[in-house]
Amino acid sequence: MNSTCVQEVISPCCLVRRSINTVVQLLKRVLAHKNMDMATVNALPYEDFVNLLGNVVEKCPIITAAVWSGRPFLNFAALEAAISEFIDALPESGKEGVLRCHPDLAGRDLRGGTLTRESREEQTGAGMDALTSAEASRVTRLNEEYKERFGFPFIICARLSDKATVLRQLSERRRNERAVERARAVEEVKKICRLRLQALVRDDAQNKL
Ligand SMILES: NC(=O)NC1NC(=O)NC1=O
């Protein structure tokens, strides 16, 4: 190490400057992340990529971690497709594992305030926090029946549903055959994923319609 380097490493002034730079970089990233374009996403280091996009599939950051190595993504659709393809390539037991990472609708986590931020916003948006006591009992009973039958929770994209739709679908879908219902639940996970991604990453194709 030459003397300039030594000075730079030990100079308090230099250390302060570096800390400020780190904070500025972090702030820039946080501000940019509200609605990142694809170039920003593609430039994210692994840790930031997973920190920012790790919950696009509920409590499955491993999926985000896995697709990171597929960068650069050409566009939003390519990123979304990489996530979908990862899920599709899982064995059925893996897909069910992904489904089991989802909280019940209007379940204990909603009541106890332990949902992820995304899930809370989605469930409250669909009125799951405003059920009458009769509705709440019905949802609890049907959720339990559903889980008993399939071994994973009932999943529906809450942002695309309202209270009536959730109740109707829960009642209807519990009669499905197991493989049909598993595929249906995976489709709902992908819809949830798309909307979560759109909240973070600019989908340029959306504005061209
Ligand atoms: N079980 C279930 O559908 N959960 C959810 N759906 C959704 O859009 N957000 C959720 O937490």
Side-chain angles (χ1 to χ4, degrees), residues 113-127:
T114 50
L115 287 174
T116 60
R117 180 183 49 77
E118 294 88 341
S119 213
R120 188 184 64 247
E121 289 172 5
E122 291 155 0
Q123 295 212 22
T124 54

Side-chain angles (χ1 to χ4, degrees), residues 58 102-105 115 118-120 122-123 153-159 192 196:
E58 178 77 8
H102 287 70
D104 282 347
L105 280 159
L115 287 174
E118 294 88 341
S119 213
R120 188 184 64 247
E122 291 155 0
Q123 295 212 22
F154 171 75
I155 298 173
I156 190 167
C157 178
R159 277 200 197 280
I192 297 169
R196 288 185 182 186

Side-chain angles (χ1 to χ4, degrees), residues 76-191:
F76 180 96
L79 171 59
E80 188 191 0
I83 295 171
S84 281
E85 281 159 22
F86 183 91
I87 296 173
D88 291 340
L90 290 171
E92 299 311 316
S93 60
K95 290 184 187 132
E96 290 190 6
V98 170
L99 301 178
R100 283 188 205 104
C101 288
H102 287 70
D104 282 347
L105 280 159
R108 200 183 313 141
D109 285 325
L110 177 64
R111 289 192 297 278
T114 50
L115 287 174
T116 60
R117 180 183 49 77
E118 294 88 341
S119 213
R120 188 184 64 247
E121 289 172 5
E122 291 155 0
Q123 295 212 22
T124 54
M128 292 297 103
D129 59 338
L131 299 178
T132 63
S133 67
E135 287 167 338
S137 310
R138 182 167 154 75
V139 169
T140 303
R141 182 174 58 77
L142 293 177
N143 267 337
E144 288 312 314
E145 251 181 70
Y146 182 101
K147 273 191 284 191
E148 179 80 17
R149 176 163 158 80
F150 297 114
F152 49 83
F154 171 75
I155 298 173
I156 190 167
C157 178
R159 277 200 197 280
L160 300 178
S161 316
D162 56 15
K163 206 167 47 165
T165 316
V166 170
L167 281 162
R168 194 179 58 250
Q169 290 279 314
L170 179 50
S171 173
E172 285 173 16
R173 281 172 44 193
R174 83 201 141 116
R175 301 195 185 94
N176 275 342
E177 203 245 312
R178 187 182 166 78
V180 170
E181 185 51 24
R182 185 172 48 220
R184 176 62 197 274
V186 167
E187 288 313 307
E188 295 297 317
V189 167
K190 290 180 184 174
K191 288 183 206 166

